Amino acid sequence: EVQLVESGGGLVKPGGCLRLSCAASGLTFSNAWMSWVRQAPGKGLEWVGRIKSKTEGGTMDYAAPVKGRFTISRDDLKNMMYLQMNSLKTEDTGVYYCATGTGRSDLDDWGRGTLVTVSS
Amino acid sequence: DIVMTQSPDSLSVSLGGRATINCKSGQSVLFNSNNKNYLAWYQQKPGQPPKLLIYWASTRESGVPDRFSGSGSGTDFTLTISSLQAEDVAVYYCQQYYSAPLTFGGGTKVEIK
């Protein structure tokens, strides 16, 4: 069974930074494409970005609102994915989910999320 | 970017009734080389993460009741709940994974009438 556990959320001031982590188990992590998806309070789902497996280039794709501010990375030895968030804005507030695709959709399995609040 | 448009925004259905949710993509999400539609449906209950229901537009995820079905191809898709149960109250999202950025529809809230 795939398990994804996010951590690192919290309260941060506008312009600040935060690093989220996603711990994965129950899958061959090195082969997995991993994504971050966020949800603002009371709103819908917004894909943030993804990192491909190293065997498929290890490249990252980002949504336009976060490109240049957020960076996704992975550590295949630790089965971990990270989201470095810089220059945070109030509109970045929300629950951040880690998700992975294992051959069905790109977002087959999801963690429970971690809350990020950007406020002065 | 592929824009995903869902309708309606919300619907109320009697217990045992049929719920139909529509999703339209701004361009085709059918990959010709494998004849697969890169379209998924998710269910999200309050306080929970989304749960994958349907992938490849019509393939039910393991463990999902057969009252849930997906149909459509190209740019027009439908999620049908054939006999609504109390536990189906949730928000439903369509999502394309044909190309990055992955994009979601705005969601449809399903309630009991």
Side-chain angles (χ1 to χ4, degrees):
Chain A
E1 179 194 1
V2 175
Q3 288 204 326
L4 302 170
V5 179
E6 304 90 340
S7 60
L11 174 63
V12 60
K13 288 183 167 50
C17 58
L18 208 56
R19 187 199 198 204
L20 306 185
S21 300
C22 171
S25 60
L27 76 165
T28 305
F29 185 79
S30 59
N31 291 342
W33 291 25
M34 301 295 297
S35 285
W36 289 97
V37 178
R38 68 184 180 182
Q39 187 168 36
K43 301 297 184 185
L45 301 169
E46 180 185 25
W47 182 78
V48 172
R50 74 177 172 200
I51 185 166
K52 297 180 181 179
S53 63
K54 284 195 169 56
T55 56
E56 296 191 67
T59 55
M60 294 78 76
D61 297 294
Y62 297 97
V66 308
K67 201 167 188 177
R69 300 188 298 123
F70 290 11
T71 302
I72 299 174
S73 61
R74 64 190 298 157
D75 184 336
D76 289 350
L77 294 179
K78 294 182 179 178
N79 286 7
M80 296 288 294
M81 177 179 64
Y82 305 98
L83 179 65
Q84 178 66 43
M85 302 186 293
N86 298 333
S87 303
L88 281 161
K89 306 176 181 180
T90 55
E91 52 263 40
D92 294 319
T93 292
V95 175
Y96 283 71
Y97 296 102
C98 162
T100 185
T102 51
R104 286 108 71 203
S105 76
D106 270 12
L107 305 170
D108 302 341
D109 297 285
W110 298 62
R112 296 205 62 83
T114 187
L115 177 62
V116 172
T117 303
V118 185
S119 174
S120 54
Chain B
D1 298 5
I2 299 177
V3 176
M4 306 299 291
T5 304
Q6 265 183 256
S7 62
D9 292 336
S10 64
L11 73 161
S12 292
V13 177
S14 302
L15 281 173
R18 176 182 292 259
T20 301
I21 301 169
N22 299 302
C23 176
K24 189 173 184 67
S25 58
Q27 66 186 73
S28 176
V29 297
L30 174 63
F31 197 43
N32 289 328
S33 65
N34 60 9
N35 202 37
K36 287 182 183 290
N37 287 282
Y38 283 60
L39 189 285
W41 289 95
Y42 299 86
Q43 175 193 65
Q44 187 178 32
K45 297 181 180 180
Q48 296 186 18
K51 173 189 170 185
L52 177 64
L53 292 179
I54 303 281
Y55 56 97
W56 303 134
S58 60
T59 302
R60 205 176 300 115
E61 172 74 328
S62 176
V64 172
D66 60 7
R67 63 181 179 271
F68 291 92
S69 64
S71 63
S73 184
T75 61
D76 291 279
F77 301 91
T78 301
L79 174 70
T80 302
I81 310 172
S82 60
S83 176
L84 191 75
Q85 304 300 303
E87 60 266 31
D88 301 335
V89 169
V91 179
Y92 294 84
Y93 297 92
C94 63
Q95 177 245 330
Q96 66 81 20
Y97 48 108
Y98 181 89
S99 66
L102 308 188
T103 45
F104 292 89
T108 296
K109 187 173 186 178
V110 174
E111 299 172 317
I112 304 292
K113 186 185 294 181

Coordinates of all heavy atoms in Angstrom, one line a residue, chain A residues 21-104:
Chain A
S21 N 8.2 18.6 3.0 CA 8.7 17.3 2.7 C 7.6 16.3 2.5 O 6.5 16.5 3.1 CB 9.6 16.8 3.9 OG 10.7 17.7 4.1
C22 N 7.9 15.3 1.7 CA 6.9 14.2 1.5 C 7.7 12.9 1.6 O 8.6 12.6 0.9 CB 6.3 14.3 0.1 SG 5.3 12.9 -0.4
A23 N 7.3 12.1 2.6 CA 7.9 10.8 2.8 C 7.1 9.7 2.2 O 5.9 9.7 2.5 CB 8.1 10.5 4.3
A24 N 7.7 8.9 1.3 CA 6.9 7.9 0.6 C 7.3 6.5 1.0 O 8.5 6.2 1.3 CB 7.2 8.1 -0.9
S25 N 6.4 5.6 1.0 CA 6.6 4.2 1.2 C 5.6 3.3 0.5 O 4.6 3.9 0.0 CB 6.5 3.9 2.7 OG 5.3 4.2 3.2
G26 N 5.9 2.1 0.3 CA 5.0 1.2 -0.4 C 5.1 1.2 -1.9 O 4.2 0.7 -2.6
L27 N 6.1 1.9 -2.4 CA 6.3 2.0 -3.9 C 7.8 2.0 -4.2 O 8.6 2.2 -3.3 CB 5.6 3.2 -4.4 CG 6.2 4.6 -4.2 CD1 5.6 5.6 -5.2 CD2 6.2 5.0 -2.8
T28 N 8.1 1.7 -5.5 CA 9.5 1.8 -5.9 C 9.7 3.3 -6.2 O 9.4 3.8 -7.3 CB 9.7 1.0 -7.2 OG1 9.3 -0.4 -6.9 CG2 11.2 1.0 -7.5
F29 N 10.1 4.0 -5.2 CA 10.2 5.5 -5.3 C 11.0 6.0 -6.4 O 10.6 6.9 -7.1 CB 10.7 6.1 -4.0 CG 10.6 7.6 -3.9 CD1 9.5 8.2 -3.6 CD2 11.8 8.3 -4.1 CE1 9.4 9.6 -3.5 CE2 11.7 9.7 -4.1 CZ 10.5 10.3 -3.8
S30 N 12.1 5.3 -6.7 CA 13.0 5.9 -7.7 C 12.3 5.9 -9.1 O 12.7 6.6 -10.0 CB 14.3 5.1 -7.8 OG 14.0 3.7 -8.0
N31 N 11.3 5.0 -9.3 CA 10.6 5.0 -10.6 C 9.4 5.9 -10.6 O 8.8 6.0 -11.7 CB 10.1 3.5 -10.9 CG 11.3 2.6 -11.1 OD1 12.4 3.0 -11.4 ND2 11.0 1.3 -11.0
A32 N 9.1 6.5 -9.5 CA 7.8 7.3 -9.4 C 7.9 8.7 -9.9 O 8.9 9.4 -9.6 CB 7.3 7.2 -8.0
W33 N 6.9 9.2 -10.6 CA 6.8 10.6 -10.8 C 6.0 11.2 -9.6 O 5.0 10.6 -9.3 CB 6.0 10.9 -12.1 CG 6.7 10.5 -13.4 CD1 7.7 9.6 -13.5 CD2 6.4 11.0 -14.7 NE1 8.1 9.5 -14.8 CE2 7.3 10.4 -15.6 CE3 5.5 12.0 -15.2 CZ2 7.3 10.7 -16.9 CZ3 5.6 12.3 -16.5 CH2 6.4 11.6 -17.4
M34 N 6.5 12.2 -9.1 CA 5.9 12.8 -7.8 C 5.4 14.2 -8.1 O 6.1 15.0 -8.8 CB 7.0 12.8 -6.7 CG 7.5 11.5 -6.4 SD 6.3 10.3 -5.7 CE 5.8 11.2 -4.2
S35 N 4.3 14.5 -7.5 CA 3.7 15.9 -7.7 C 3.3 16.5 -6.4 O 3.1 15.8 -5.4 CB 2.4 15.8 -8.6 OG 2.6 15.5 -9.9
W36 N 3.2 17.8 -6.4 CA 2.6 18.6 -5.4 C 1.3 19.2 -5.9 O 1.3 19.8 -7.1 CB 3.5 19.7 -4.9 CG 4.7 19.2 -4.1 CD1 5.9 19.0 -4.5 CD2 4.7 18.9 -2.7 NE1 6.7 18.5 -3.5 CE2 6.0 18.4 -2.4 CE3 3.7 18.9 -1.7 CZ2 6.4 18.0 -1.1 CZ3 4.1 18.4 -0.4 CH2 5.4 18.0 -0.1
V37 N 0.2 19.2 -5.1 CA -1.1 19.8 -5.5 C -1.5 20.6 -4.3 O -1.3 20.1 -3.1 CB -2.1 18.7 -5.8 CG1 -3.5 19.4 -6.1 CG2 -1.7 17.8 -7.0
R38 N -2.1 21.8 -4.5 CA -2.5 22.6 -3.4 C -4.0 22.9 -3.5 O -4.6 22.8 -4.5 CB -1.7 23.8 -3.2 CG -1.9 24.8 -4.3 CD -0.9 26.0 -4.2 NE -1.0 27.0 -5.2 CZ -0.3 28.1 -5.3 NH1 0.7 28.3 -4.4 NH2 -0.5 29.0 -6.3
Q39 N -4.5 23.3 -2.3 CA -5.9 23.7 -2.2 C -6.1 24.8 -1.3 O -5.9 24.7 -0.1 CB -6.8 22.5 -1.8 CG -8.3 22.7 -1.9 CD -9.0 21.4 -1.7 OE1 -8.6 20.5 -0.9 NE2 -10.1 21.2 -2.4
A40 N -6.4 26.0 -1.8 CA -6.7 27.1 -1.0 C -8.0 26.9 -0.2 O -8.8 26.1 -0.6 CB -6.9 28.4 -1.9
P41 N -8.1 27.5 1.0 CA -9.3 27.3 1.8 C -10.6 27.5 1.1 O -10.8 28.5 0.5 CB -9.2 28.3 2.9 CG -7.7 28.6 3.0 CD -7.2 28.5 1.6
G42 N -11.4 26.5 1.0 CA -12.7 26.5 0.4 C -12.7 26.5 -1.1 O -13.7 26.8 -1.8
K43 N -11.5 26.3 -1.7 CA -11.4 26.3 -3.2 C -11.1 25.0 -3.7 O -11.0 24.0 -3.0 CB -10.3 27.3 -3.5 CG -10.5 28.7 -3.0 CD -11.7 29.4 -3.6 CE -11.8 30.8 -3.2 NZ -13.1 31.4 -3.6
G44 N -10.9 24.9 -5.1 CA -10.6 23.7 -5.8 C -9.1 23.3 -5.7 O -8.3 23.9 -5.0
L45 N -8.8 22.3 -6.5 CA -7.5 21.7 -6.5 C -6.7 22.4 -7.6 O -7.1 22.7 -8.7 CB -7.6 20.2 -6.9 CG -8.4 19.4 -5.9 CD1 -8.6 18.0 -6.4 CD2 -7.7 19.3 -4.5
E46 N -5.4 22.7 -7.2 CA -4.4 23.3 -8.2 C -3.1 22.6 -8.2 O -2.5 22.4 -7.1 CB -4.2 24.8 -7.8 CG -3.2 25.5 -8.7 CD -2.9 26.9 -8.3 OE1 -3.0 27.2 -7.1 OE2 -2.6 27.8 -9.1
W47 N -2.8 22.1 -9.3 CA -1.5 21.4 -9.4 C -0.3 22.4 -9.3 O -0.4 23.5 -10.0 CB -1.4 20.6 -10.8 CG -0.2 19.9 -11.1 CD1 0.1 18.6 -10.6 CD2 0.8 20.2 -12.0 NE1 1.3 18.2 -11.2 CE2 1.8 19.2 -12.0 CE3 1.1 21.4 -12.8 CZ2 2.9 19.2 -12.8 CZ3 2.2 21.4 -13.6 CH2 3.1 20.3 -13.6
V48 N 0.7 22.1 -8.5 CA 1.8 23.0 -8.3 C 3.0 22.6 -9.2 O 3.6 23.5 -9.8 CB 2.2 22.9 -6.8 CG1 3.5 23.7 -6.6 CG2 1.1 23.4 -5.9
G49 N 3.3 21.3 -9.3 CA 4.4 20.9 -10.1 C 4.7 19.5 -9.8 O 4.1 18.8 -9.0
R50 N 5.7 19.0 -10.6 CA 6.1 17.6 -10.5 C 7.5 17.4 -10.8 O 8.2 18.2 -11.4 CB 5.3 16.7 -11.4 CG 5.6 16.8 -12.9 CD 4.9 15.9 -13.8 NE 5.1 16.1 -15.2 CZ 4.3 15.8 -16.2 NH1 3.2 15.1 -15.9 NH2 4.6 16.0 -17.4
I51 N 8.1 16.2 -10.4 CA 9.4 15.8 -10.7 C 9.4 14.4 -11.3 O 8.7 13.5 -10.7 CB 10.4 16.0 -9.5 CG1 11.8 15.7 -9.9 CG2 9.9 15.1 -8.3 CD1 12.9 16.1 -8.9
K52 N 9.9 14.2 -12.4 CA 9.9 12.9 -13.0 C 11.0 12.0 -12.4 O 11.9 12.5 -11.6 CB 10.2 13.0 -14.5 CG 9.1 13.8 -15.3 CD 9.4 13.9 -16.7 CE 8.4 14.7 -17.5 NZ 8.6 14.8 -18.9
S53 N 10.9 10.7 -12.6 CA 12.0 9.8 -12.1 C 13.3 10.1 -12.8 O 13.3 10.6 -14.0 CB 11.6 8.4 -12.4 OG 11.5 8.2 -13.8
K54 N 14.4 9.8 -12.2 CA 15.7 10.0 -12.8 C 15.9 9.3 -14.1 O 16.5 9.8 -15.0 CB 16.8 9.7 -11.8 CG 16.9 10.7 -10.7 CD 18.2 10.6 -9.9 CE 18.5 11.8 -9.0 NZ 17.5 12.1 -8.0
T55 N 15.3 8.1 -14.2 CA 15.4 7.3 -15.4 C 14.7 8.0 -16.6 O 15.0 7.7 -17.7 CB 14.9 5.9 -15.2 OG1 13.5 6.0 -14.8 CG2 15.7 5.1 -14.2
E56 N 13.8 8.8 -16.2 CA 13.1 9.6 -17.3 C 13.5 11.0 -17.3 O 12.8 11.9 -17.8 CB 11.6 9.4 -17.1 CG 11.2 8.0 -17.3 CD 9.7 7.8 -17.4 OE1 9.1 8.2 -18.4 OE2 9.1 7.2 -16.5
G57 N 14.7 11.3 -16.8 CA 15.3 12.6 -16.9 C 15.3 13.4 -15.7 O 16.1 14.4 -15.5
G58 N 14.5 13.1 -14.7 CA 14.4 13.8 -13.4 C 14.0 15.2 -13.6 O 14.3 16.1 -12.7
T59 N 13.4 15.6 -14.7 CA 13.1 17.0 -14.9 C 11.8 17.4 -14.1 O 11.1 16.6 -13.7 CB 12.8 17.3 -16.4 OG1 11.8 16.4 -16.9 CG2 14.1 17.1 -17.2
M60 N 11.7 18.7 -13.9 CA 10.6 19.3 -13.2 C 9.7 20.1 -14.1 O 10.2 20.8 -15.0 CB 11.1 20.2 -12.0 CG 11.9 19.4 -10.9 SD 13.6 19.0 -11.4 CE 14.3 20.6 -11.2
D61 N 8.4 20.1 -13.8 CA 7.5 21.0 -14.5 C 6.8 21.8 -13.4 O 6.5 21.2 -12.3 CB 6.5 20.2 -15.3 CG 7.1 19.5 -16.4 OD1 7.6 20.1 -17.3 OD2 7.1 18.2 -16.4
Y62 N 6.4 23.0 -13.6 CA 5.8 23.9 -12.6 C 4.6 24.6 -13.2 O 4.5 24.9 -14.4 CB 6.8 24.9 -12.1 CG 7.9 24.4 -11.4 CD1 9.2 24.2 -12.0 CD2 7.9 24.0 -10.0 CE1 10.2 23.6 -11.4 CE2 8.9 23.4 -9.4 CZ 10.1 23.3 -10.1 OH 11.2 22.7 -9.4
A63 N 3.6 24.9 -12.3 CA 2.5 25.7 -12.7 C 3.0 27.2 -12.8 O 3.9 27.6 -12.1 CB 1.4 25.6 -11.7
A64 N 2.4 28.0 -13.7 CA 2.8 29.3 -13.9 C 2.9 30.2 -12.6 O 3.8 31.0 -12.4 CB 1.9 30.0 -14.9
P65 N 1.9 30.1 -11.7 CA 1.9 31.0 -10.5 C 3.1 30.7 -9.6 O 3.4 31.6 -8.7 CB 0.6 30.6 -9.8 CG -0.3 30.0 -10.9 CD 0.6 29.3 -11.8
V66 N 3.8 29.6 -9.7 CA 4.8 29.3 -8.8 C 6.2 29.2 -9.4 O 7.2 29.1 -8.8 CB 4.6 28.0 -8.0 CG1 3.2 28.0 -7.3 CG2 4.7 26.8 -8.9
K67 N 6.2 29.2 -10.8 CA 7.5 29.1 -11.5 C 8.4 30.2 -11.1 O 8.0 31.4 -11.1 CB 7.2 29.1 -13.0 CG 8.3 28.5 -13.8 CD 7.8 28.2 -15.3 CE 8.8 27.5 -16.1 NZ 8.3 27.1 -17.4
G68 N 9.6 29.8 -10.8 CA 10.7 30.8 -10.4 C 10.7 31.1 -8.9 O 11.7 31.7 -8.4
R69 N 9.7 30.6 -8.2 CA 9.6 30.8 -6.7 C 9.7 29.5 -6.0 O 10.3 29.4 -4.9 CB 8.3 31.5 -6.3 CG 8.1 32.9 -6.9 CD 6.9 33.6 -6.3 NE 5.7 32.9 -6.5 CZ 4.9 32.5 -5.6 NH1 5.1 32.7 -4.3 NH2 3.7 31.9 -5.9
F70 N 9.2 28.4 -6.6 CA 9.1 27.1 -5.9 C 10.1 26.2 -6.7 O 10.2 26.3 -7.9 CB 7.7 26.5 -6.0 CG 6.7 27.2 -5.1 CD1 6.9 28.4 -4.5 CD2 5.5 26.6 -4.9 CE1 6.0 29.0 -3.7 CE2 4.5 27.2 -4.1 CZ 4.8 28.4 -3.5
T71 N 10.7 25.3 -5.9 CA 11.6 24.3 -6.5 C 11.3 22.9 -5.9 O 11.2 22.8 -4.7 CB 13.1 24.6 -6.2 OG1 13.3 25.9 -6.8 CG2 14.0 23.6 -6.9
I72 N 11.1 21.9 -6.8 CA 10.8 20.5 -6.3 C 12.1 19.8 -6.5 O 12.8 19.9 -7.5 CB 9.7 19.9 -7.2 CG1 8.4 20.7 -7.0 CG2 9.5 18.4 -6.8 CD1 7.3 20.2 -7.9
S73 N 12.4 18.9 -5.5 CA 13.6 18.1 -5.6 C 13.2 16.7 -5.0 O 12.1 16.5 -4.4 CB 14.8 18.7 -4.8 OG 14.5 18.9 -3.5
R74 N 14.1 15.7 -5.1 CA 13.8 14.4 -4.6 C 15.1 13.8 -4.1 O 16.2 14.1 -4.6 CB 13.2 13.5 -5.7 CG 14.0 13.2 -6.9 CD 13.2 12.5 -8.0 NE 12.7 11.3 -7.6 CZ 11.6 10.7 -8.1 NH1 11.0 11.3 -9.1 NH2 11.3 9.5 -7.7
D75 N 15.0 12.9 -3.2 CA 16.2 12.1 -2.7 C 15.7 10.6 -2.8 O 15.0 10.2 -1.9 CB 16.5 12.5 -1.2 CG 17.8 11.8 -0.7 OD1 18.1 10.7 -1.2 OD2 18.4 12.3 0.2
D76 N 16.1 9.9 -3.8 CA 15.7 8.6 -4.0 C 16.3 7.6 -2.9 O 15.7 6.5 -2.7 CB 16.1 8.1 -5.4 CG 15.2 8.8 -6.5 OD1 14.2 9.4 -6.1 OD2 15.6 8.6 -7.7
L77 N 17.4 7.9 -2.3 CA 17.9 7.1 -1.3 C 17.1 7.1 0.0 O 17.0 6.1 0.7 CB 19.3 7.5 -0.9 CG 20.4 7.3 -2.1 CD1 21.7 7.8 -1.6 CD2 20.4 5.8 -2.5
K78 N 16.4 8.3 0.2 CA 15.6 8.4 1.4 C 14.1 8.3 1.1 O 13.3 8.4 2.0 CB 15.8 9.8 2.1 CG 17.3 10.0 2.6 CD 17.4 11.3 3.3 CE 18.8 11.5 3.8 NZ 19.0 12.9 4.4
N79 N 13.7 8.1 -0.1 CA 12.3 8.0 -0.5 C 11.6 9.3 -0.1 O 10.5 9.3 0.4 CB 11.6 6.8 0.1 CG 12.0 5.5 -0.6 OD1 12.9 5.5 -1.5 ND2 11.3 4.4 -0.3
M80 N 12.2 10.5 -0.4 CA 11.7 11.8 0.0 C 11.6 12.7 -1.2 O 12.4 12.7 -2.1 CB 12.6 12.4 1.0 CG 12.7 11.7 2.3 SD 11.2 11.8 3.3 CE 11.1 13.5 3.7
M81 N 10.5 13.5 -1.2 CA 10.4 14.6 -2.1 C 10.3 15.9 -1.3 O 9.7 15.9 -0.2 CB 9.1 14.4 -3.0 CG 8.9 15.6 -4.0 SD 7.5 15.4 -5.1 CE 6.1 15.4 -4.0
Y82 N 10.7 17.0 -1.9 CA 10.7 18.3 -1.2 C 10.1 19.4 -2.1 O 10.1 19.3 -3.3 CB 12.1 18.7 -0.8 CG 12.8 17.6 0.0 CD1 13.7 16.7 -0.6 CD2 12.6 17.5 1.3 CE1 14.4 15.8 0.1 CE2 13.3 16.5 2.1 CZ 14.1 15.6 1.4 OH 14.8 14.7 2.2
L83 N 9.5 20.4 -1.4 CA 9.1 21.6 -2.1 C 9.6 22.8 -1.4 O 9.2 23.1 -0.3 CB 7.5 21.6 -2.1 CG 6.9 22.9 -2.8 CD1 7.3 22.9 -4.3 CD2 5.4 22.9 -2.6
Q84 N 10.6 23.4 -2.0 CA 11.2 24.7 -1.5 C 10.4 25.8 -2.0 O 10.3 26.0 -3.2 CB 12.7 24.8 -1.9 CG 13.3 26.1 -1.4 CD 13.4 26.1 0.1 OE1 13.8 25.2 0.8 NE2 13.1 27.3 0.7
M85 N 9.8 26.5 -1.1 CA 8.9 27.7 -1.5 C 9.5 29.0 -1.0 O 9.7 29.2 0.2 CB 7.5 27.5 -0.8 CG 6.9 26.2 -1.2 SD 5.2 26.0 -0.6 CE 5.4 26.0 1.2
N86 N 9.9 29.8 -1.9 CA 10.5 31.1 -1.6 C 9.5 32.3 -2.1 O 8.6 32.0 -2.8 CB 11.8 31.3 -2.4 CG 12.8 30.2 -2.0 OD1 12.8 29.7 -0.8 ND2 13.7 29.9 -2.9
S87 N 9.8 33.4 -1.6 CA 9.0 34.6 -1.9 C 7.5 34.4 -1.8 O 6.7 34.6 -2.7 CB 9.3 35.1 -3.4 OG 10.7 35.3 -3.5
L88 N 7.1 33.8 -0.7 CA 5.7 33.4 -0.5 C 4.8 34.6 -0.5 O 5.1 35.7 0.0 CB 5.6 32.6 0.8 CG 6.1 31.1 0.6 CD1 6.4 30.5 2.0 CD2 5.0 30.3 -0.1
K89 N 3.6 34.3 -1.0 CA 2.6 35.3 -1.1 C 1.3 34.8 -0.4 O 1.2 33.6 -0.2 CB 2.2 35.5 -2.6 CG 3.3 35.9 -3.5 CD 2.9 36.0 -5.0 CE 4.0 36.3 -5.9 NZ 3.6 36.4 -7.3
T90 N 0.4 35.8 0.0 CA -0.8 35.3 0.7 C -1.6 34.3 -0.1 O -2.2 33.4 0.5 CB -1.6 36.6 1.1 OG1 -1.9 37.3 -0.1 CG2 -0.9 37.5 2.0
E91 N -1.5 34.5 -1.4 CA -2.3 33.5 -2.2 C -1.7 32.1 -2.3 O -2.3 31.2 -2.9 CB -2.5 34.1 -3.7 CG -1.2 34.5 -4.4 CD -1.0 36.0 -4.2 OE1 -1.2 36.6 -3.1 OE2 -0.5 36.6 -5.2
D92 N -0.6 31.9 -1.7 CA 0.0 30.6 -1.6 C -0.6 29.8 -0.4 O -0.2 28.6 -0.2 CB 1.5 30.6 -1.5 CG 2.2 31.2 -2.7 OD1 1.8 30.9 -3.8 OD2 3.2 32.0 -2.6
T93 N -1.4 30.4 0.4 CA -2.0 29.8 1.5 C -2.9 28.6 1.1 O -3.7 28.7 0.1 CB -2.9 30.8 2.3 OG1 -2.0 31.8 2.9 CG2 -3.7 30.1 3.4
G94 N -2.8 27.5 1.8 CA -3.6 26.3 1.5 C -3.0 25.1 2.0 O -1.9 25.0 2.6
V95 N -3.7 24.0 1.8 CA -3.2 22.7 2.1 C -2.4 22.2 0.9 O -2.9 22.2 -0.3 CB -4.4 21.7 2.4 CG1 -3.8 20.3 2.6 CG2 -5.2 22.2 3.6
Y96 N -1.2 21.7 1.2 CA -0.4 21.2 0.1 C -0.3 19.6 0.2 O 0.0 19.1 1.3 CB 1.0 21.7 0.3 CG 1.1 23.2 -0.3 CD1 0.5 24.2 0.4 CD2 1.8 23.5 -1.4 CE1 0.5 25.5 0.0 CE2 1.8 24.8 -1.9 CZ 1.2 25.8 -1.2 OH 1.2 27.1 -1.7
Y97 N -0.7 19.0 -0.9 CA -0.7 17.5 -0.9 C 0.4 17.0 -1.8 O 0.8 17.6 -2.8 CB -2.0 17.0 -1.6 CG -3.3 17.3 -0.9 CD1 -4.1 18.4 -1.3 CD2 -3.7 16.6 0.2 CE1 -5.3 18.6 -0.6 CE2 -4.9 16.8 0.9 CZ -5.7 17.9 0.5 OH -6.9 18.1 1.1
C98 N 1.0 15.9 -1.4 CA 2.0 15.2 -2.2 C 1.2 14.1 -2.9 O 0.3 13.5 -2.3 CB 3.0 14.6 -1.2 SG 4.0 13.3 -1.7
A99 N 1.5 13.8 -4.1 CA 0.8 12.8 -4.8 C 1.7 12.0 -5.8 O 2.7 12.6 -6.2 CB -0.4 13.3 -5.6
T100 N 1.4 10.8 -6.1 CA 2.2 10.1 -7.1 C 1.3 9.3 -8.0 O 0.2 8.9 -7.7 CB 3.1 9.1 -6.3 OG1 4.0 8.5 -7.3 CG2 2.4 8.0 -5.6
G101 N 1.9 9.1 -9.2 CA 1.2 8.2 -10.2 C 2.0 7.0 -10.4 O 3.2 7.0 -10.6
T102 N 1.3 5.8 -10.4 CA 2.0 4.5 -10.6 C 1.4 3.8 -11.7 O 1.3 2.6 -11.7 CB 1.9 3.7 -9.3 OG1 0.6 3.7 -8.8 CG2 2.8 4.3 -8.2
G103 N 0.9 4.5 -12.7 CA 0.5 3.9 -14.0 C -0.9 4.0 -14.3 O -1.4 3.6 -15.4
R104 N -1.7 4.6 -13.4 CA -3.1 4.8 -13.8 C -3.3 6.3 -14.2 O -3.3 6.6 -15.4 CB -4.0 4.5 -12.6 CG -4.2 3.0 -12.4 CD -3.4 2.5 -11.2 NE -4.1 2.9 -9.9 CZ -3.4 3.0 -8.8 NH1 -2.1 2.7 -8.7 NH2 -4.0 3.3 -7.7

